């Protein structure tokens, strides 16, 4: 077996310096606290010999949550923190937890963090007791939005909360099974309260979806209350520790005070009131809708990281086939293997950086929307932009991670399929992120709508502030579009400047051609719904995804430009160029279709450039994964450990099935002869 140490010695940079450059010390300290707590308590030790018994997994995750909340000490001062510090802190705790135990992190996020966040942004003093109880572990919540018949189209949700003047209560009803809330995490067996989104009806008038705190089960006995039919939806493909559930209501009553009334209320006289500045409402919506998506971006970037750490370490050790000199080659030396892994390694660095930077911007923007002295018109522009950036980045990052995990699994061959490798669970647990908190394909439409709107009205905008600074290229569309590819050699494209310019050209062309198609469809059908629908494939959807890649690269470029250490910036620049070229290579049909080049030169340069950079990054690959890898306990993979003992670890994993001995098991064809 090739030694990981041999590859470590080939690195062109100092791993410690890289670590300091890419993640602030204080972030790592918070995650370390989480990891030390998990490692110190056997209840949290994730054992890959556990089979997929979901009943046990659900009980265990519930127990873990209780202990994590009460004994980790991580939440002792949560109320003393300002909004911005608390949000940042909770995102990091969630990240630290997720990389080791996705079930527990999701249970905590849904059951405590998102609920308390919703109380903060949609509730008022009235709801403080819920806030205190949730952090004290006395109650557990869920977020009930999706119904059996409708998910993405929330306007069609049918669960209603009708105000009863005589008792000053809301009466909740589920009009038929199609309106049963379903897929709701924590609802199946354990939550005591739901944050329910239901149509508010007052005096026969429907005022649309509003949030309500709805008691579901007695916190002492966990028995559901009368008027509710609630249950677990059963087996899923992954996330076995989460009790996803369904619920139906029949004339179920809750007090008037349980409506989350920061934006709108039903007053004591039974009158419906909205009293918030519409711009502030937008800020609150951003806070509630986006917090989960920001979490997903961070979580996904960690899954991506985990898969690439495992696959690169394995590739540096695994040898297959001898060359003409009789030397058995580590598989990382093969061109195909480099092409399979190095772009995902580059993507990991680019996406991790984006996730960290974007989280900061998000917290800043939400902070402004809560600040009474802030200029609300500016905030309004930022909120719309942050939402658009988040919609496309959540989609791109979850999809990239999904593909990366599968590639990593295959790149580790048969051993990658063993449960102890960690990649199978990682894949199954990550998979639904492309769907929940907004289906990716649907979310992408929101980004393209925003971009097209800006494209058609750039003149009166100020592009200096985040996130509008990300679309500053829109002020130069006229000068960008006539540009042509003039490079001849691969060296001409292996740099961040080329990557950025090429992306800007592609974005301008996609905007122009999507806009033209949309306009023509509008003329033809006179129906915006039809027009939007018919220009998604090859146009609007591509536009959003290309934009997501571009902003990830822009954030990475800014990071590199600010880096003071030449040995670090040099390798980061290679990673940024590789990620950019790899993405652009997948858009070659569009680049040719739009006339950016009409000779084979562009395709040749991009292909050669990608291969050149893959090879150039290879000697640094092991050090690059070392710099981002969590400790072995957290990575939890027999084939991805820092110590490189792949075969010893695997054999231990094989034997662990029966206390270190091989089980006395006969294959089926033997049994028939016995
Ligand atoms: C593991 C898991 C946990 C979940 N947890 C929760 C939870 O805690 N609380 C909760 O409320 N919900 C939860 N959900 C539900 C989740 O939020 C929804 O599944 C999600 O919003 C998508 O809605 P849907 O399933 O109805 O899909 P649909 O909206 O029916 O979409 C189905 C397909 O149609 C496509 N599609 C839909 N509309 C369009 C369009 N206009 N144009 C093009 N294509 C379109 C989509 O891309 C998708 O591929 C969870 C789901 C999963 C899988």
């Amino acid at each position: 077996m090739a030694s990981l140490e041999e590859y470590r010695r080939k690195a062109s940079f100092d791993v410690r310096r890289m670590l300091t450059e890419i993640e602030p010390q204080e972030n790592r300290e918070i995650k370390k606290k989480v990891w030390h707590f998990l490692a110190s308590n056997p209840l949290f030790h994730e054992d890959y010999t556990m089979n997929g018994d979901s009943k046990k997994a659900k009980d265990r995750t519930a127990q873990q949550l209780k202990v994590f909340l009460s004994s980790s000490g991580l939440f002792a001062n949560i109320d003393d923190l300002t909004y911005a510090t608390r949000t940042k802190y909770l995102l990091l705790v969630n990240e630290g937890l997720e990389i080791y135990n996705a079930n527990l992190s999701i249970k905590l996020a849904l059951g405590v963090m998102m609920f308390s966040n919703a109380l903060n942004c949609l509730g008022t003093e009235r709801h403080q007791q819920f806030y205190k109880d949730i952090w004290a572990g006395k109650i557990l919540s869920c977020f009930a939005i999706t119904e059996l018949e409708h998910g993405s189209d929330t306007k069609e949700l049918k669960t209603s909360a009708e105000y009863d003047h005589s008792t000053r209560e809301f009466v909740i009803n589920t009009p038929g099974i199609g309106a049963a809330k379903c897929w709701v995490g924590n609802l199946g067996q354990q939550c005591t309260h739901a944050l329910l989104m239901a149509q508010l009806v007052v005096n026969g008038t429907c005022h649309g979806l509003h949030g309500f705190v709805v008691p579901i089960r007695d916190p002492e006995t966990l028995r559901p209350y009368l008027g509710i039919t609630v249950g677990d939806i059963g087996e899923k493909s992954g996330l076995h520790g989460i009790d996803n559930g369904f619920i139906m209501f029949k004339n179920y009553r809750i007090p008037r005070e349980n409506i989350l009334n920061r934006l709108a209320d039903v007053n004591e006289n039974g009158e419906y009131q909205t009293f918030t500045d519409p711009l502030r409402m937008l800020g609150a919506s951003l806070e509630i809708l986006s917090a989960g998506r920001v979490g997903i971006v961070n979580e996904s970037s960690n899954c991506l990281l985990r898969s690439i750490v495992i696959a690169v370490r394995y590739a540096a050790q695994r040898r297959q086939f001898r060359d003409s000199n009789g030397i058995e080659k580590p598989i990382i030396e093969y061109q195909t293997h480099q092409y399979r892994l190095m772009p995902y390694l580059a993507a990991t660095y680019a996406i991790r950086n984006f996730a960290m930077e974007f989280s900061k911007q998000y917290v800043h923007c939400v902070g402004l929307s809560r600040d009474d002295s802030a200029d609300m018109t500016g905030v309004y522009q930022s909120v719309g932009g942050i939402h658009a950036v988040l919609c496309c980045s959540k989609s791109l990052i979850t999809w990239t991670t999904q593909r990366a995990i599968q590639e990593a699994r295959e790149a580790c061959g048969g051993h990658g399929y063993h449960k102890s490798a960690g990649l199978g669970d990682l894949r199954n647990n990550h998979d639904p992120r492309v769907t929940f908190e907004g289906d990716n394909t649907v979310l992408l439409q929101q980004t393209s709508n925003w971009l097209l709107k800006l494209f058609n009205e750039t003149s009166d905008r100020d592009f200096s502030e985040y996130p509008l600074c990300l679309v500053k290229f829109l002020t130069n569309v006229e000068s960008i579009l006539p540009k042509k590819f003039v490079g001849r050699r691969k060296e001409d494209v292996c740099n961040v400047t080329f990557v950025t310019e090429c992306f800007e050209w592609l974005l301008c062309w996609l905007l122009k051609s999507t806009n033209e198609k949309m306009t023509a469809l509008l003329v033809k059908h006179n129906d915006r719904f039809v027009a939007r629908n018919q220009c998604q494939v090859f146009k609007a959807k591509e536009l959003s995804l290309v934009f997501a890649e571009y902003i990830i690269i822009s954030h990475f470029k800014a990071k590199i430009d600010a880096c003071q250490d030449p040995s670090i910036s040099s390798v980061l620049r290679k990673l940024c160029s590789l990620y950019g070229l790899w993405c652009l290579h997948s858009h070659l049909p569009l680049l040719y279709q739009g006339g950016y080049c009409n000779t084979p030169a562009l395709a040749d340069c991009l292909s050669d450039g990608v291969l050149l950079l893959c090879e150039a990054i290879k000697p640094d690959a092991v050090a690059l994964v070392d710099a981002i890898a969590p400790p072995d306990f957290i990575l939890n993979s027999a084939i991805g450990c820092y110590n490189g003992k792949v075969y010893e670890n695997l054999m231990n994993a094989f034997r662990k099935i029966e206390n270190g001995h091989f089980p006395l098991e006969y294959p089926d064809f033997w049994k028939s002869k016995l």
Side-chain angles (χ1 to χ4, degrees):
M1 187 191 295
S3 155
L4 276 176
E5 291 306 324
E6 281 171 36
Y7 280 100
R8 287 186 176 123
R9 280 195 290 275
K10 294 181 185 186
S12 66
F13 63 92
D14 180 77
V15 178
R16 268 174 199 282
R17 294 233 290 273
M18 178 63 86
L19 187 63
T20 323
E21 186 65 40
I22 56 174
E23 188 165 25
Q25 171 82 8
E26 70 261 24
N27 287 15
R28 277 182 279 131
E29 288 303 325
I30 295 170
K31 287 196 264 183
K32 267 163 82 178
K33 277 190 195 153
V34 176
W35 295 342
H36 282 229
F37 177 73
L38 297 175
S40 69
N41 189 331
L43 173 65
F44 294 89
H45 294 185
E46 289 299 294
D47 185 342
Y48 46 76
T49 60
M50 282 189 300
N51 60 28
D53 181 337
S54 66
K55 165 88 183 81
K56 272 193 200 151
K58 284 170 191 166
D59 288 350
R60 186 175 149 85
T61 312
Q63 216 185 337
Q64 287 175 336
L65 179 65
K66 239 184 162 71
V67 177
F68 192 69
L69 276 174
S70 61
S71 310
S72 66
L74 286 159
F75 307 108
N77 303 320
I78 202 80
D79 286 334
D80 304 339
L81 305 177
T82 61
Y83 164 77
T85 322
R86 184 175 60 232
T87 308
K88 193 179 149 208
Y89 177 78
L90 291 177
L91 280 170
L92 285 164
V93 169
N94 180 50
E95 227 189 276
L97 195 54
E98 198 283 337
I99 198 166
Y100 183 63
N101 184 339
N103 285 294
L104 179 55
S105 95
I106 289 178
K107 197 160 190 70
L108 174 67
L110 284 172
V112 180
M113 293 179 181
M114 284 171 72
F115 183 67
S116 59
N117 187 46
L119 294 179
N120 261 330
C121 59
L122 293 181
T124 54
E125 321 71 55
R126 245 190 222 176
H127 307 106
Q128 275 308 301
Q129 194 55 46
F130 293 123
Y131 187 88
K132 286 183 187 145
D133 288 350
I134 202 92
W135 280 112
K138 291 183 184 165
I139 61 175
L140 182 72
S141 103
C142 67
F143 232 77
I145 305 174
T146 307
E147 295 178 356
L148 200 55
E149 281 181 356
H150 293 98
S152 305
D153 187 2
T154 50
K155 283 199 209 92
E156 291 294 327
L157 298 177
K158 302 273 189 303
T159 303
S160 64
E162 183 160 11
Y163 188 65
D164 179 345
H165 293 265
S166 60
T167 59
R168 294 187 174 171
E169 290 170 320
F170 292 105
V171 186
I172 305 177
N173 273 296
T174 303
I177 59 160
K181 295 285 177 192
C182 63
W183 277 104
V184 179
N186 289 347
L187 177 64
Q189 300 171 6
Q190 288 144 6
C191 78
T192 59
H193 289 69
L195 200 150
L196 178 82
M197 297 306 282
Q199 304 288 354
L200 168 65
V201 180
V202 184
N203 294 329
T205 305
C206 179
H207 295 281
L209 280 185
H210 285 67
F212 302 84
V213 179
V214 181
I216 303 290
R217 295 184 175 90
D218 180 334
E220 295 300 319
T221 62
L222 287 191
R223 283 221 184 90
Y225 295 119
L226 276 177
I228 286 175
T229 306
V230 61
D232 196 296
I233 63 167
E235 296 300 317
K236 308 184 295 284
S237 310
L239 292 176
H240 300 300
I242 305 290
D243 53 321
N244 292 79
F246 66 91
I247 191 164
M248 288 186 278
F249 301 92
K250 189 161 183 203
N251 293 326
Y252 185 70
R253 289 173 175 270
I254 57 168
R256 181 183 68 90
E257 291 74 18
N258 283 26
I259 185 172
L260 293 178
N261 63 332
R262 182 170 146 207
L263 308 178
D265 201 359
V266 175
N267 68 18
E268 289 192 352
N269 301 324
E271 294 154 347
Y272 178 70
Q273 295 179 303
T274 52
F275 32 69
T276 309
D277 172 356
L279 297 182
R280 263 180 217 292
M281 282 174 87
L282 208 73
S285 316
L286 175 77
E287 208 173 330
I288 182 139
L289 283 175
S290 304
R293 284 179 202 147
V294 175
I296 287 184
V297 163
N298 281 286
E299 291 159 10
S300 300
S301 74
N302 271 311
C303 294
L304 177 61
L305 176 158
R306 218 179 135 206
S307 62
I308 200 69
V309 170
I310 296 169
V312 166
R313 283 186 179 158
Y314 183 78
Q317 297 167 81
R318 179 75 169 176
R319 284 177 190 261
Q320 293 292 299
F321 299 101
R322 291 182 190 278
D323 65 11
S324 37
N325 298 319
I327 297 171
E328 200 180 21
K329 309 284 281 181
I331 55 177
I332 200 172
E333 297 297 331
Y334 293 113
Q335 187 187 55
T336 45
H337 219 74
Q338 289 162 20
Y339 178 68
R340 290 166 75 185
L341 297 186
M342 298 308 140
Y344 283 118
L345 176 57
T348 306
Y349 268 74
I351 287 172
R352 287 283 303 141
N353 176 65
F354 171 80
M356 275 183 270
E357 290 302 315
F358 181 75
S359 301
K360 271 195 247 163
Q361 297 291 349
Y362 162 78
V363 170
H364 174 70
C365 181
V366 174
L368 281 182
S369 75
R370 300 170 135 247
D371 178 355
D372 288 335
S373 61
D375 157 31
M376 284 318 285
T377 318
V379 173
Y380 172 72
Q381 293 207 348
S382 302
V383 165
I386 291 270
H387 175 69
V389 166
L390 192 49
C391 285
C392 66
S393 55
K394 182 260 180 188
S395 304
L396 178 76
I397 292 170
T398 52
W399 271 330
T400 304
T401 302
Q402 195 183 42
R403 289 199 304 268
I405 300 170
Q406 181 60 24
E407 192 67 71
R409 204 300 285 151
E410 293 174 31
C412 296
H415 296 326
Y417 193 64
H418 197 265
K419 201 160 196 293
S420 67
L423 293 165
D425 285 343
L426 188 63
R427 180 180 55 198
N428 290 347
N429 291 339
H430 170 72
D431 191 76
R433 288 200 181 96
V434 307
T435 299
F436 61 49
E437 289 291 332
D439 172 85
N440 282 1
T441 305
V442 176
L443 287 184
L444 287 174
Q445 299 184 21
Q446 308 206 18
T447 308
S448 54
N449 291 345
W450 179 74
L451 284 169
L452 286 165
K453 191 160 174 273
L454 284 178
F455 181 70
N456 286 311
E457 45 176 77
T458 48
S459 52
D460 57 340
R461 304 265 176 176
D462 172 9
F463 286 94
S464 57
E465 294 290 322
Y466 195 93
L468 281 179
C469 59
L470 298 171
V471 286
K472 205 164 178 200
F473 64 87
L474 282 177
T475 53
N476 299 320
V477 175
E478 297 307 320
S479 59
I480 291 174
L481 273 176
K483 286 185 183 168
K484 299 275 177 225
F485 178 66
V486 290
R488 289 169 172 275
R489 300 162 310 135
K490 55 192 170 194
E491 288 76 12
D492 296 332
V493 299
C494 290
N495 59 76
V496 182
T497 309
F498 166 77
V499 167
T500 310
E501 284 179 7
C502 190
F503 261 103
E504 288 179 355
W505 183 91
L506 183 56
L507 279 167
C508 290
W509 180 76
L510 273 168
L511 272 161
K512 182 171 161 285
S513 63
T514 308
N515 197 48
E516 281 169 3
K517 183 162 184 186
M518 180 88 87
T519 311
L521 285 165
L522 269 172
V523 170
K524 187 172 171 196
H525 299 285
N526 194 23
D527 184 330
R528 193 160 286 278
F529 184 85
V530 174
R532 276 204 178 136
N533 178 38
Q534 293 193 3
C535 67
Q536 291 302 316
V537 181
F538 303 130
K539 296 288 180 202
K541 187 177 173 196
E542 297 304 316
L543 170 65
S544 299
L545 287 170
V546 171
F547 180 61
E549 290 165 352
Y550 171 73
I551 55 179
I552 287 168
I553 288 163
S554 303
H555 282 79
F556 202 13
K557 180 177 179 300
K559 173 90 193 166
I560 296 165
D561 290 346
C563 175
Q564 305 283 324
D565 184 330
S567 65
I568 300 293
S569 62
S570 154
V571 69
L572 292 181
R573 205 164 279 125
K574 280 184 217 157
L575 290 167
C576 186
S577 303
L578 175 58
Y579 178 62
L581 293 190
W582 180 64
C583 295
L584 286 171
H585 193 274
S586 70
H587 303 309
L588 271 172
L590 296 174
L591 289 162
Y592 277 106
Q593 189 183 357
Y596 186 57
C597 181
N598 50 19
T599 72
L602 179 63
D604 288 343
C605 287
L606 289 187
S607 310
D608 292 348
V610 166
L611 294 178
L612 179 80
L613 286 166
C614 284
E615 208 175 346
I617 287 167
K618 185 203 66 187
D620 282 329
V622 171
L624 281 167
V625 298
D626 283 349
I628 51 176
D632 285 348
F633 174 83
I634 296 296
L635 189 71
N636 203 14
S637 168
I639 62 172
C641 290
Y642 183 85
N643 68 18
K645 295 183 175 166
V646 168
Y647 299 132
E648 290 91 325
N649 293 341
L650 267 175
M651 193 47 87
N652 284 339
F654 295 167
R655 290 181 174 192
K656 209 169 172 182
I657 297 166
E658 275 198 355
N659 304 326
H661 302 290
F662 287 112
L664 188 63
E665 269 280 315
Y666 294 96
D668 286 345
F669 64 89
W670 267 72
K671 281 179 192 157
S672 59
K673 293 187 180 168
L674 285 174

